[in-house]
Amino acid sequence: MKNKLEELRKERGIKQEELAEAMEVSRQTIGSLENGRYNPSILLAFKLARYFEMSIEDIFIYEEDSE
């Protein structure tokens, strides 16, 4: 799953540490989300969407595997 998290965070001048604190997760979790190594729990996805005042679908882009 791709996401626009890093782009949104940088546009708003927010550090990974600041976002992590607001989401009550580690900075490493935010980094892993931004790099696509980790998919968020539904709760974290909702918290991020609320934080950025966007829908989950506007932040996270689901792509079906073409198999």
Side-chain angles (χ1 to χ4, degrees), residues 28-46:
Q28 289 84 355
T29 296
I30 299 301
S32 292
L33 283 168
E34 290 181 354
N35 293 321
R37 292 189 307 259
Y38 172 71
N39 290 327
S41 67
I42 192 68
L43 179 61
L44 181 54
F46 271 107

Side-chain angles (χ1 to χ4, degrees), residues 5 8-9 12-23 44-54 59:
L5 197 54
L8 293 169
R9 180 180 59 74
R12 290 164 173 79
I14 302 165
K15 295 180 181 176
Q16 281 186 342
E17 293 83 1
E18 294 169 331
L19 183 56
E21 186 175 320
M23 295 299 106
L44 181 54
F46 271 107
K47 287 173 77 173
L48 286 162
R50 188 167 289 150
Y51 182 85
F52 287 108
E53 299 179 339
M54 301 176 80
I59 300 173

Side-chain angles (χ1 to χ4, degrees), residues 2-6 10 14 16 55-56:
K2 294 183 180 182
N3 68 70
K4 299 178 184 175
L5 197 54
E6 183 175 13
K10 288 182 176 181
I14 302 165
Q16 281 186 342
S55 71
I56 291 173

